[in-house]
Amino acid sequence: MAWLIYYIALFTWLLPPFKQRKGEYFYYFLIIAYAESTSYLLLKLLHLHLDYFYFCFSIVLLRSLYNIIKINKYILDILLIAVFIITLFVPLDYVKIFIAIIHLIILLLFIIRFTEYLVTNQRILLFHTALILYESSIIFKFIFRVFMPVTGIDYFYITSAFEILFAFYFLFDTAESSKLFINLKNKL
């Protein structure tokens, strides 16, 4: 059953970049698709431990959102390289914690974007809400794996199955063309 979830997730996450290709989050979805397919190859062909790969992928994923971050992209690059170098000298469990921290930063960026959109347009965009929930599931996935190693793998597969639903959602909705929102103009 676990491999079935893995294969379905692998396939479904290859598709959202096509829908998101002209949007603000294109590179975010493209990197997720690339990471899913590459992780499969690394695991199956080279039998490598994937946490170091996911750490690198998380750094690149954060970098793909530099248009949201109100910081110079070169300063961001230097910070990310420094964090990467630090993780070369720490145990694997710390790498998982660093992955969760990077995704927490991404989550905060999505919450900021959600709030900016809410204040500017007085509506809640379901797309932003889905991004926040998706990133939250990734954070929980790595936290469970670090702090609950016995049951953490079960939570890993449960959240992976849940994330497949997000992949399907992102196949049909974008931040730019979303018609799924809650209007708060009359309610405030």
Side-chain angles (χ1 to χ4, degrees):
M1 184 62 161
W3 283 105
L4 178 63
I5 292 171
Y6 185 78
Y7 288 127
I8 292 171
L10 171 69
F11 177 73
T12 55
W13 279 107
L14 291 175
L15 302 175
F18 294 104
K19 175 66 176 177
Q20 306 293 331
R21 73 183 172 279
K22 294 184 181 183
E24 174 179 32
Y25 297 99
F26 169 70
Y27 290 111
Y28 176 81
F29 288 104
L30 183 66
I31 292 165
I32 291 172
Y34 175 76
E36 289 294 329
S37 58
T38 305
S39 68
Y40 175 77
L41 295 174
L42 292 173
L43 183 66
K44 283 297 201 181
L45 299 178
L46 303 176
H47 306 288
L48 294 177
H49 200 288
L50 294 181
D51 286 324
Y52 289 105
F53 168 74
Y54 278 124
F55 175 72
C56 295
F57 144 74
S58 297
I59 287 176
V60 174
L61 195 63
L62 178 60
R63 176 62 173 83
S64 75
L65 298 171
Y66 81 90
N67 61 326
I68 296 174
I69 301 170
K70 307 291 191 240
I71 186 173
N72 184 299
K73 64 182 175 181
Y74 299 111
I75 293 172
L76 177 64
D77 289 342
I78 291 168
L79 289 171
L80 293 175
I81 290 169
V83 169
F84 175 74
I85 291 170
I86 290 169
T87 59
L88 294 175
F89 303 103
V90 298
L92 186 59
D93 281 344
Y94 290 112
V95 172
K96 292 175 191 173
I97 292 171
F98 276 116
I99 293 170
I101 290 170
I102 289 172
H103 282 279
L104 182 61
I105 293 168
I106 293 171
L107 175 64
L108 292 173
L109 291 172
F110 289 158
I111 290 171
I112 290 169
R113 180 52 56 104
F114 171 88
T115 306
E116 288 172 347
Y117 188 87
L118 175 64
V119 169
T120 305
N121 299 296
Q122 293 186 340
R123 61 171 74 166
I124 296 172
L125 195 62
L126 186 59
F127 182 87
H128 292 146
T129 307
L131 280 174
I132 290 169
L133 292 172
Y134 171 68
E135 273 302 317
S136 298
S137 72
I138 292 172
I139 294 166
F140 285 126
K141 182 186 294 189
F142 284 100
I143 289 173
F144 286 139
R145 286 187 59 214
V146 171
F147 296 110
M148 292 188 265
V150 175
T151 57
I153 197 68
D154 295 330
Y155 289 116
F156 183 86
Y157 289 116
I158 290 168
T159 55
S160 293
F162 186 60
E163 290 167 6
I164 291 169
L165 299 175
F166 285 113
F168 280 115
Y169 171 76
F170 293 127
L171 273 171
F172 300 104
D173 198 14
T174 67
E176 293 76 21
S177 66
S178 182
K179 298 193 181 5
L180 301 172
F181 60 86
I182 299 171
N183 195 357
L184 299 177
K185 286 183 182 176
N186 298 333
K187 296 180 182 177
L188 293 178

